[in-house]
Amino acid sequence: AWPRLRTWNPSLWTSACGKMALMVPKAVQGLEALVAQGLADYDGVRDVLRETMGTRMLNRKIVMDLLGRLGSSRGMAVILTVLRCLQDEGLELTSYQASAAIGACRRAGQWRRALEVLHDLEGSNVEMNAVAYNAVVSACETCGQWVKGVQILNEMATRSLDADVISYSAAISACEKGGTWQW
């Protein structure tokens, strides 16, 4: 015999989804408050992540959302610390999380921070792919740093990563914004 199923209650589902939807904004708000108070050290960041996200900080989709929302100037101050905390909590970072963090840097106009994220994670044995490098080239393009964008494009070649249409388009756009049509 089949077990008797309880009736489905849509209000419980909505309540659970609502809690999930509020988790990441609360984490971002908490991290930005730490920065504003000058308390954005490793322990403070880890405590905010644990308090607001709990074990869900190991969910890759939620982490992508969190990293994508850290695009404010205050969020940028803790983005590397957030990545380190997530690694220490057991999340195996990939180039996709790196790309989300770099994309947040681009949206905030922080091309130097984008480079820092890329190189810091490479040093942590996170295997970067063309997507992550393209995100850095795009960050350089957004900020008009055509020389750095072209250097990153060349770095891709030295690391045996195949540049694609996105890579070249971002580099060309960076050169255009910088008033340089040749390299």
Side-chain angles (χ1 to χ4, degrees):
W2 291 94
R4 186 169 178 201
L5 298 176
R6 294 182 189 166
T7 57
W8 182 66
N9 185 340
S11 65
L12 292 176
W13 176 255
T14 305
S15 174
C17 290
K19 288 178 185 174
M20 291 289 287
L22 293 174
M23 179 183 14
V24 171
K26 282 184 179 180
V28 171
Q29 198 173 36
L31 292 169
E32 289 177 345
L34 278 180
V35 174
Q37 297 168 14
L39 303 171
D41 62 356
Y42 180 89
D43 292 332
V45 169
R46 186 195 60 226
D47 291 346
V48 166
L49 291 175
R50 284 180 176 171
E51 185 178 312
T52 57
M53 299 176 70
T55 59
R56 289 192 175 95
M57 77 172 87
L58 300 180
N59 180 307
R60 292 183 194 282
K61 289 181 182 178
I62 292 173
V63 167
M64 296 284 284
D65 187 22
L66 172 68
L67 294 172
R69 291 182 189 220
L70 286 175
S72 70
S73 58
R74 286 186 179 162
M76 287 294 98
V78 295
I79 202 158
L80 281 171
T81 307
V82 167
L83 290 167
R84 287 185 194 115
C85 285
L86 291 169
Q87 282 182 306
D88 291 347
E89 290 293 320
L91 180 67
E92 189 175 322
L93 294 176
T94 68
S95 60
Y96 296 105
Q97 284 86 29
S99 297
I102 293 166
C105 297
R106 180 185 54 80
R107 287 187 298 282
Q110 301 271 333
W111 67 272
R112 283 188 181 98
R113 183 76 58 165
L115 281 169
E116 193 177 351
V117 168
L118 178 77
H119 292 126
D120 189 70
L121 289 178
E122 281 180 331
S124 300
N125 297 322
V126 176
E127 190 174 322
M128 294 297 164
N129 62 12
V131 174
Y133 275 86
N134 287 348
V136 174
V137 174
S138 292
C140 294
E141 176 260 330
T142 300
C143 300
Q145 298 296 321
W146 69 271
V147 172
K148 198 47 98 170
V150 171
Q151 287 174 347
I152 295 298
L153 189 66
N154 289 332
E155 191 176 321
M156 286 176 72
T158 62
R159 296 186 184 275
S160 301
L161 294 172
D162 293 329
D164 57 14
V165 171
I166 296 169
S167 313
Y168 291 115
S169 294
I172 290 167
S173 182
C175 291
E176 176 189 19
K177 286 182 179 180
T180 305
W181 57 275
Q182 293 181 354
W183 73 69

